[in-house]
């Protein structure tokens, strides 16, 4: 079964450093997403992306965040200057044709970001 | 804006028992989609079951079934013959439609423990 692949699985970074989280969505999917889950809390939407543009972003997705699809396969989330409160699990997801098909989303296994 | 509420932070049952997790939501949409996701300790997000709001019949998937009450905006998950592997966080989620890039709105989650 096709998978969404995220790398790395765990990243530790110092406060103020830039990090890039990487995702390889399912190849025929058109819509891409990032979500965040602070430990013990609910999963929160960050941003959706389609046709090389941001479709929607949440209040969390401020100027410190950016997304990019640098080639035909990767989808990245960049945090420019990390803060302690950015420590969380970050999930990438992708969907085809806006979620049609058997179900709307396929999630990756997540990247645990720890800011120290 | 849509909201999803899970009022049971934690639940615990014995193996082979039946357990019901509650979820309520608020929306002004008439057509939408509801999901239950399972998050085991690995923190992978796994789709358990989904329900289309336009369908009156409750969705079932093996031991998992839902009780969808559209007028009451209630969407509970029933797990029959519970197994140790069902131990996980369970999140209820809402999606407005399958058109375009659509975000999932999650509830706070219910931590379910199945005891041997």
């Amino acid at each position: 079964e096709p998978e969404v692949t995220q790398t790395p699985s765990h990243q530790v970074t110092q406060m103020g450093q830039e990090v890039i989280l990487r995702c390889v969505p399912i190849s025929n999917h058109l819509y891409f997403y990032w979500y965040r889950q602070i430990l013990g809390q609910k999963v929160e939407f960050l941003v959706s992306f389609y046709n090389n543009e941001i479709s929607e972003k949440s209040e969390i997705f401020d100027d410190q965040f950016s997304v990019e699809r640098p080639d035909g396969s990767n989808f990245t989330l960049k945090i420019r200057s990390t803060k302690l409160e950015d420590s969380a699990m970050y999930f990438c997801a992708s969907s085809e044709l806006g979620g049609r098909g058997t179900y709307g989303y396929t999630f990756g296994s997540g990247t645990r970001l720890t800011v120290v | 804006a849509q909201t999803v509420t899970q009022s049971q932070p934690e639940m615990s049952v014995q193996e082979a028992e039946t357990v019901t997790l509650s979820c309520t939501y608020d929306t002004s949409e008439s057509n939408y989609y509801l999901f239950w996701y399972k998050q085991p300790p690995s923190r992978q997000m796994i789709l358990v079951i989904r329900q289309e709001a336009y369908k009156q019949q409750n969705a079932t998937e093996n031991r998992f079934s839902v009780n969808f009450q559209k007028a009451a905006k209630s969407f509970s998950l029933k797990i029959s013959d519970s197994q140790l592997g069902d131990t996980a966080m369970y999140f209820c989620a809402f999606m407005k439609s399958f058109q375009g890039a659509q975000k999932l709105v999650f509830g706070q989650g219910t931590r379910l423990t199945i005891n041997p």
Side-chain angles (χ1 to χ4, degrees), chain A residues 35 37 91 98 100 105 109, chain B residues 39 95 98-100 102 104:
Chain A
Y35 288 79
Q37 184 185 29
F91 291 101
R100 295 183 192 275
Y105 275 75
S109 55
Chain B
Q39 188 180 45
M95 183 187 293
F98 275 177
Q99 299 296 325
Q102 292 293 336
L104 280 162

Side-chain angles (χ1 to χ4, degrees), chain B residues 21-83:
Chain B
L21 309 183
S22 301
C23 172
T24 59
Y25 58 93
D26 188 26
T27 183
S28 57
E29 303 288 332
S30 56
N31 288 320
Y32 47 87
Y33 301 83
L34 296 164
F35 304 82
W36 278 98
Y37 278 88
K38 171 184 178 180
Q39 188 180 45
S42 66
R43 299 190 76 181
Q44 175 86 29
M45 294 295 287
I46 302 167
L47 178 68
V48 175
I49 199 165
R50 89 168 182 189
Q51 173 80 41
E52 291 87 350
Y54 63 85
K55 290 186 177 178
Q56 291 187 330
Q57 186 172 8
N58 289 322
T60 62
E61 195 72 42
N62 300 316
R63 297 183 296 107
F64 299 88
S65 62
V66 299
N67 184 5
F68 173 50
Q69 302 289 326
K70 190 173 183 180
K73 296 181 181 174
S74 169
F75 182 61
S76 61
L77 173 70
K78 185 171 85 171
I79 306 174
S80 303
D81 186 27
S82 58
Q83 300 174 359

Side-chain angles (χ1 to χ4, degrees), chain A residues 57-74:
Chain A
K57 59 183 180 180
S58 71
E59 293 176 352
I60 304 168
F61 195 88
D62 61 22
D63 292 344
Q64 293 298 311
F65 291 89
S66 63
V67 289
E68 190 179 30
R69 189 156 162 80
D71 52 41
S73 60
N74 290 283

Side-chain angles (χ1 to χ4, degrees), chain A residues 24-43:
Chain A
V24 179
I26 292 174
S27 60
N28 65 338
H29 284 189
L30 300 178
Y31 299 86
F32 314 115
Y33 313 84
W34 284 101
Y35 288 79
R36 180 182 82 174
Q37 184 185 29
I38 295 172
L39 186 64
Q41 298 186 21
K42 68 178 178 180
V43 180

Side-chain angles (χ1 to χ4, degrees), chain A:
Chain A
E1 188 167 326
E3 291 184 344
V4 174
T5 304
Q6 288 188 244
T7 54
S9 57
H10 189 192
Q11 181 153 359
V12 181
T13 189
Q14 288 203 323
M15 189 169 55
Q17 294 296 305
E18 174 184 285
V19 293
I20 297 176
L21 308 184
R22 304 181 190 279
C23 169
V24 179
I26 292 174
S27 60
N28 65 338
H29 284 189
L30 300 178
Y31 299 86
F32 314 115
Y33 313 84
W34 284 101
Y35 288 79
R36 180 182 82 174
Q37 184 185 29
I38 295 172
L39 186 64
Q41 298 186 21
K42 68 178 178 180
V43 180
E44 300 173 291
F45 169 78
L46 290 178
V47 65
S48 59
F49 190 86
Y50 168 67
N51 199 26
N52 285 319
E53 290 184 344
I54 290 175
S55 301
E56 184 179 358
K57 59 183 180 180
S58 71
E59 293 176 352
I60 304 168
F61 195 88
D62 61 22
D63 292 344
Q64 293 298 311
F65 291 89
S66 63
V67 289
E68 190 179 30
R69 189 156 162 80
D71 52 41
S73 60
N74 290 283
F75 178 52
T76 61
L77 174 69
K78 181 193 290 185
I79 309 174
R80 288 190 182 82
S81 178
T82 51
K83 306 170 192 169
L84 294 176
E85 53 264 38
D86 292 328
S87 293
M89 194 77 162
Y90 289 81
F91 291 101
C92 175
S94 68
S95 67
E96 56 175 331
L97 300 176
R100 295 183 192 275
T102 57
Y103 49 86
Y105 275 75
T106 302
F107 280 88
S109 55
T111 293
R112 179 176 296 181
L113 177 65
T114 303
V115 182
V116 296

